[in-house]
Amino acid sequence: LFLNTEQIKIDTTFDLEKPAVVFADPEQISRVFINLLKNAIQAIPEDREGKIGLQLETDSQRAKVKVTDNGKGIPEELGDKLFQPNFTTKSSGMGMGLAIVKSIIENAGGNIKFETALGKGTTFIVELPLMLEEKS
């Protein structure tokens, strides 16, 4: 969906101890990552070559997905507001994206957090429980 976005390079990394099978609505999970990728693209200043990293890793119990951009970063005073409904730093939109993302992730038994550095970029980290294998 985003591979042909101009001036943006997307790198993917997969480090799987176990297959990344989670119990969640596929359309809703797709919505989560589309939103995070759109936000990452929009965070990159026009005068900067965009770099986005998409990393998937698993351990024995969880899948962890990191969406990293080399954008502007998030000012510390905005951090607590990011996941609140109707909060946005954009000139358009309703500010529901990250609130909906958080709700979808939490309804699937997971969590979302972020790490940021002003002027360098942001990483959103989504953790979801893996489905347990049934014993035969």
Side-chain angles (χ1 to χ4, degrees), residues 2-3 10 15 17 19-20 22 28 30-31 35 38 46 60 67 69 76 80 97 108 111 118 121 127-129 131-132:
F2 297 101
L3 290 179
I10 299 176
D15 183 15
E17 183 178 303
V22 298
Q28 295 294 310
S30 178
R31 185 176 184 180
N35 184 287
K38 279 184 180 179
E46 288 184 23
S60 62
V67 179
D69 66 60
E76 188 176 335
D80 292 340
N111 64 66
L118 281 179
E127 294 182 323
L128 292 164
M131 286 185 58
L132 301 175

mmCIF file of all heavy atoms in Angstrom, residues 2-3 10 15 17 19-20 22 28 30-31 35 38 46 60 67 69 76 80 97 108 111 118 121 127-129 131-132:
data_model
loop_
_atom_site.group_PDB
_atom_site.id
_atom_site.type_symbol
_atom_site.label_atom_id
_atom_site.label_comp_id
_atom_site.label_asym_id
_atom_site.label_seq_id
_atom_site.Cartn_x
_atom_site.Cartn_y
_atom_site.Cartn_z
ATOM 1 N N PHE A 2 2.002 1.236 0.698
ATOM 2 C CA PHE A 2 2.828 2.431 0.839
ATOM 3 C C PHE A 2 4.162 2.338 0.112
ATOM 4 O O PHE A 2 4.963 3.253 0.180
ATOM 5 C CB PHE A 2 3.105 2.713 2.323
ATOM 6 C CG PHE A 2 1.863 3.014 3.106
ATOM 7 C CD1 PHE A 2 1.280 2.052 3.901
ATOM 8 C CD2 PHE A 2 1.279 4.262 3.029
ATOM 9 C CE1 PHE A 2 0.132 2.325 4.622
ATOM 10 C CE2 PHE A 2 0.127 4.550 3.753
ATOM 11 C CZ PHE A 2 -0.440 3.577 4.543
ATOM 12 N N LEU A 3 4.408 1.235 -0.584
ATOM 13 C CA LEU A 3 5.724 1.028 -1.180
ATOM 14 C C LEU A 3 6.090 2.054 -2.244
ATOM 15 O O LEU A 3 7.256 2.305 -2.483
ATOM 16 C CB LEU A 3 5.829 -0.386 -1.748
ATOM 17 C CG LEU A 3 5.868 -1.488 -0.696
ATOM 18 C CD1 LEU A 3 5.948 -2.855 -1.351
ATOM 19 C CD2 LEU A 3 7.035 -1.294 0.253
ATOM 20 N N ILE A 10 10.927 2.418 2.872
ATOM 21 C CA ILE A 10 10.381 1.582 3.944
ATOM 22 C C ILE A 10 11.207 0.300 4.029
ATOM 23 O O ILE A 10 11.330 -0.428 3.044
ATOM 24 C CB ILE A 10 8.896 1.250 3.692
ATOM 25 C CG1 ILE A 10 8.070 2.541 3.645
ATOM 26 C CG2 ILE A 10 8.372 0.310 4.785
ATOM 27 C CD1 ILE A 10 6.600 2.345 3.317
ATOM 28 N N ASP A 15 11.968 -10.914 12.827
ATOM 29 C CA ASP A 15 12.781 -11.731 13.723
ATOM 30 C C ASP A 15 11.815 -12.577 14.549
ATOM 31 O O ASP A 15 11.372 -12.168 15.616
ATOM 32 C CB ASP A 15 13.643 -10.837 14.621
ATOM 33 C CG ASP A 15 14.565 -11.638 15.519
ATOM 34 O OD1 ASP A 15 14.751 -12.850 15.274
ATOM 35 O OD2 ASP A 15 15.106 -11.054 16.479
ATOM 36 N N GLU A 17 10.688 -15.828 16.578
ATOM 37 C CA GLU A 17 10.959 -17.036 17.348
ATOM 38 C C GLU A 17 9.827 -18.040 17.108
ATOM 39 O O GLU A 17 10.037 -19.233 17.077
ATOM 40 C CB GLU A 17 11.044 -16.661 18.833
ATOM 41 C CG GLU A 17 11.402 -17.794 19.758
ATOM 42 C CD GLU A 17 11.509 -17.306 21.191
ATOM 43 O OE1 GLU A 17 12.294 -16.383 21.456
ATOM 44 O OE2 GLU A 17 10.783 -17.876 22.037
ATOM 45 N N PRO A 19 5.744 -18.247 14.892
ATOM 46 C CA PRO A 19 4.889 -17.515 13.940
ATOM 47 C C PRO A 19 4.077 -16.442 14.668
ATOM 48 O O PRO A 19 3.652 -16.629 15.804
ATOM 49 C CB PRO A 19 3.966 -18.611 13.378
ATOM 50 C CG PRO A 19 4.709 -19.886 13.603
ATOM 51 C CD PRO A 19 5.498 -19.681 14.873
ATOM 52 N N ALA A 20 3.871 -15.324 14.017
ATOM 53 C CA ALA A 20 3.165 -14.195 14.625
ATOM 54 C C ALA A 20 1.666 -14.323 14.362
ATOM 55 O O ALA A 20 1.102 -13.624 13.536
ATOM 56 C CB ALA A 20 3.700 -12.888 14.089
ATOM 57 N N VAL A 22 -1.920 -13.867 15.990
ATOM 58 C CA VAL A 22 -2.615 -13.215 17.099
ATOM 59 C C VAL A 22 -4.120 -13.365 16.900
ATOM 60 O O VAL A 22 -4.593 -13.570 15.786
ATOM 61 C CB VAL A 22 -2.232 -11.722 17.216
ATOM 62 C CG1 VAL A 22 -0.750 -11.566 17.500
ATOM 63 C CG2 VAL A 22 -2.631 -10.944 15.986
ATOM 64 N N GLN A 28 -9.412 -4.777 11.613
ATOM 65 C CA GLN A 28 -9.056 -3.802 12.642
ATOM 66 C C GLN A 28 -7.539 -3.696 12.806
ATOM 67 O O GLN A 28 -7.000 -2.589 12.928
ATOM 68 C CB GLN A 28 -9.707 -4.174 13.982
ATOM 69 C CG GLN A 28 -11.215 -4.117 13.961
ATOM 70 C CD GLN A 28 -11.721 -2.705 13.759
ATOM 71 O OE1 GLN A 28 -11.312 -1.780 14.439
ATOM 72 N NE2 GLN A 28 -12.613 -2.534 12.802
ATOM 73 N N SER A 30 -5.342 -4.375 10.522
ATOM 74 C CA SER A 30 -4.890 -3.693 9.309
ATOM 75 C C SER A 30 -5.053 -2.184 9.466
ATOM 76 O O SER A 30 -4.164 -1.400 9.125
ATOM 77 C CB SER A 30 -5.678 -4.203 8.101
ATOM 78 O OG SER A 30 -5.301 -3.527 6.948
ATOM 79 N N ARG A 31 -6.175 -1.774 10.015
ATOM 80 C CA ARG A 31 -6.450 -0.350 10.252
ATOM 81 C C ARG A 31 -5.396 0.262 11.178
ATOM 82 O O ARG A 31 -4.951 1.391 10.971
ATOM 83 C CB ARG A 31 -7.847 -0.217 10.855
ATOM 84 C CG ARG A 31 -8.319 1.172 11.052
ATOM 85 C CD ARG A 31 -9.748 1.164 11.547
ATOM 86 N NE ARG A 31 -10.253 2.523 11.649
ATOM 87 C CZ ARG A 31 -11.454 2.828 12.043
ATOM 88 N NH1 ARG A 31 -12.317 1.876 12.358
ATOM 89 N NH2 ARG A 31 -11.838 4.070 12.121
ATOM 90 N N ASN A 35 -2.880 3.198 9.844
ATOM 91 C CA ASN A 35 -2.870 4.486 10.553
ATOM 92 C C ASN A 35 -1.463 4.841 11.021
ATOM 93 O O ASN A 35 -1.010 5.972 10.842
ATOM 94 C CB ASN A 35 -3.839 4.436 11.739
ATOM 95 C CG ASN A 35 -3.948 5.769 12.443
ATOM 96 O OD1 ASN A 35 -3.016 6.179 13.142
ATOM 97 N ND2 ASN A 35 -5.058 6.449 12.260
ATOM 98 N N LYS A 38 0.659 5.802 7.987
ATOM 99 C CA LYS A 38 0.274 7.134 7.486
ATOM 100 C C LYS A 38 0.834 8.223 8.400
ATOM 101 O O LYS A 38 1.362 9.233 7.928
ATOM 102 C CB LYS A 38 -1.251 7.268 7.420
ATOM 103 C CG LYS A 38 -1.877 6.663 6.209
ATOM 104 C CD LYS A 38 -3.376 6.949 6.229
ATOM 105 C CE LYS A 38 -4.063 6.371 5.023
ATOM 106 N NZ LYS A 38 -5.518 6.615 5.043
ATOM 107 N N GLU A 46 9.040 17.727 4.652
ATOM 108 C CA GLU A 46 9.150 17.641 3.195
ATOM 109 C C GLU A 46 10.585 17.746 2.700
ATOM 110 O O GLU A 46 10.914 17.218 1.644
ATOM 111 C CB GLU A 46 8.290 18.731 2.541
ATOM 112 C CG GLU A 46 6.808 18.456 2.654
ATOM 113 C CD GLU A 46 5.979 19.498 1.926
ATOM 114 O OE1 GLU A 46 6.502 20.158 1.005
ATOM 115 O OE2 GLU A 46 4.798 19.644 2.288
ATOM 116 N N SER A 60 8.190 -16.014 23.102
ATOM 117 C CA SER A 60 7.319 -17.169 23.354
ATOM 118 C C SER A 60 5.860 -16.787 23.585
ATOM 119 O O SER A 60 4.972 -17.623 23.445
ATOM 120 C CB SER A 60 7.840 -17.970 24.547
ATOM 121 O OG SER A 60 7.825 -17.162 25.718
ATOM 122 N N VAL A 67 6.974 0.555 14.482
ATOM 123 C CA VAL A 67 6.882 1.435 13.312
ATOM 124 C C VAL A 67 7.707 2.670 13.656
ATOM 125 O O VAL A 67 7.352 3.439 14.540
ATOM 126 C CB VAL A 67 5.424 1.816 12.996
ATOM 127 C CG1 VAL A 67 5.371 2.743 11.793
ATOM 128 C CG2 VAL A 67 4.574 0.565 12.758
ATOM 129 N N ASP A 69 9.875 6.152 12.376
ATOM 130 C CA ASP A 69 10.070 7.162 11.329
ATOM 131 C C ASP A 69 11.246 8.053 11.699
ATOM 132 O O ASP A 69 11.688 8.066 12.840
ATOM 133 C CB ASP A 69 8.802 7.999 11.115
ATOM 134 C CG ASP A 69 8.432 8.855 12.311
ATOM 135 O OD1 ASP A 69 9.243 9.718 12.713
ATOM 136 O OD2 ASP A 69 7.318 8.686 12.847
ATOM 137 N N GLU A 76 7.521 16.655 24.273
ATOM 138 C CA GLU A 76 7.198 15.984 25.536
ATOM 139 C C GLU A 76 5.825 16.383 26.070
ATOM 140 O O GLU A 76 5.072 15.543 26.559
ATOM 141 C CB GLU A 76 8.284 16.313 26.568
ATOM 142 C CG GLU A 76 8.149 15.533 27.847
ATOM 143 C CD GLU A 76 9.299 15.803 28.807
ATOM 144 O OE1 GLU A 76 10.393 16.189 28.360
ATOM 145 O OE2 GLU A 76 9.081 15.624 30.010
ATOM 146 N N ASP A 80 1.331 12.810 26.572
ATOM 147 C CA ASP A 80 0.205 12.260 27.326
ATOM 148 C C ASP A 80 -1.121 12.402 26.588
ATOM 149 O O ASP A 80 -2.089 11.725 26.913
ATOM 150 C CB ASP A 80 0.080 12.958 28.688
ATOM 151 C CG ASP A 80 1.245 12.626 29.610
ATOM 152 O OD1 ASP A 80 1.921 11.611 29.370
ATOM 153 O OD2 ASP A 80 1.472 13.391 30.566
ATOM 154 N N GLY A 97 -7.497 8.970 15.173
ATOM 155 C CA GLY A 97 -6.654 7.872 14.712
ATOM 156 C C GLY A 97 -5.967 7.090 15.812
ATOM 157 O O GLY A 97 -6.151 5.881 15.940
ATOM 158 N N ALA A 108 -7.679 -6.323 21.750
ATOM 159 C CA ALA A 108 -7.037 -7.577 21.347
ATOM 160 C C ALA A 108 -6.086 -8.089 22.430
ATOM 161 O O ALA A 108 -5.344 -9.042 22.215
ATOM 162 C CB ALA A 108 -6.279 -7.371 20.029
ATOM 163 N N ASN A 111 -0.979 -3.811 23.986
ATOM 164 C CA ASN A 111 -0.724 -2.443 24.415
ATOM 165 C C ASN A 111 0.090 -1.720 23.355
ATOM 166 O O ASN A 111 0.691 -2.353 22.479
ATOM 167 C CB ASN A 111 -0.033 -2.402 25.784
ATOM 168 C CG ASN A 111 1.339 -3.043 25.754
ATOM 169 O OD1 ASN A 111 2.254 -2.547 25.106
ATOM 170 N ND2 ASN A 111 1.509 -4.145 26.460
ATOM 171 N N LEU A 118 13.024 14.529 19.609
ATOM 172 C CA LEU A 118 12.732 15.701 18.785
ATOM 173 C C LEU A 118 13.769 15.853 17.677
ATOM 174 O O LEU A 118 14.969 15.739 17.916
ATOM 175 C CB LEU A 118 12.698 16.968 19.632
ATOM 176 C CG LEU A 118 11.414 17.197 20.427
ATOM 177 C CD1 LEU A 118 11.505 18.474 21.239
ATOM 178 C CD2 LEU A 118 10.206 17.244 19.513
ATOM 179 N N GLY A 121 12.869 11.560 15.232
ATOM 180 C CA GLY A 121 11.824 10.622 14.867
ATOM 181 C C GLY A 121 11.163 9.944 16.047
ATOM 182 O O GLY A 121 11.473 10.205 17.208
ATOM 183 N N GLU A 127 2.384 -4.273 21.047
ATOM 184 C CA GLU A 127 2.583 -5.631 21.544
ATOM 185 C C GLU A 127 1.232 -6.329 21.622
ATOM 186 O O GLU A 127 0.276 -5.765 22.162
ATOM 187 C CB GLU A 127 3.246 -5.624 22.921
ATOM 188 C CG GLU A 127 4.664 -5.097 22.886
ATOM 189 C CD GLU A 127 5.323 -5.136 24.255
ATOM 190 O OE1 GLU A 127 4.635 -4.885 25.272
ATOM 191 O OE2 GLU A 127 6.526 -5.411 24.295
ATOM 192 N N LEU A 128 1.186 -7.539 21.083
ATOM 193 C CA LEU A 128 -0.035 -8.339 21.094
ATOM 194 C C LEU A 128 0.289 -9.746 21.564
ATOM 195 O O LEU A 128 1.344 -10.290 21.198
ATOM 196 C CB LEU A 128 -0.641 -8.410 19.685
ATOM 197 C CG LEU A 128 -1.202 -7.112 19.130
ATOM 198 C CD1 LEU A 128 -1.408 -7.224 17.626
ATOM 199 C CD2 LEU A 128 -2.508 -6.784 19.824
ATOM 200 N N PRO A 129 -0.604 -10.354 22.348
ATOM 201 C CA PRO A 129 -0.350 -11.728 22.770
ATOM 202 C C PRO A 129 -0.472 -12.681 21.583
ATOM 203 O O PRO A 129 -1.349 -12.529 20.733
ATOM 204 C CB PRO A 129 -1.440 -11.995 23.817
ATOM 205 C CG PRO A 129 -2.505 -10.996 23.536
ATOM 206 C CD PRO A 129 -1.843 -9.817 22.890
ATOM 207 N N MET A 131 -1.343 -16.269 19.864
ATOM 208 C CA MET A 131 -2.286 -17.350 20.124
ATOM 209 C C MET A 131 -1.483 -18.556 20.594
ATOM 210 O O MET A 131 -0.423 -18.852 20.042
ATOM 211 C CB MET A 131 -3.081 -17.703 18.863
ATOM 212 C CG MET A 131 -4.108 -16.660 18.537
ATOM 213 S SD MET A 131 -5.160 -17.101 17.134
ATOM 214 C CE MET A 131 -5.875 -18.634 17.671
ATOM 215 N N LEU A 132 -1.994 -19.200 21.607
ATOM 216 C CA LEU A 132 -1.309 -20.391 22.114
ATOM 217 C C LEU A 132 -1.607 -21.578 21.222
ATOM 218 O O LEU A 132 -2.730 -21.745 20.764
ATOM 219 C CB LEU A 132 -1.741 -20.672 23.565
ATOM 220 C CG LEU A 132 -1.467 -19.553 24.558
ATOM 221 C CD1 LEU A 132 -2.053 -19.908 25.921
ATOM 222 C CD2 LEU A 132 0.018 -19.286 24.663
#
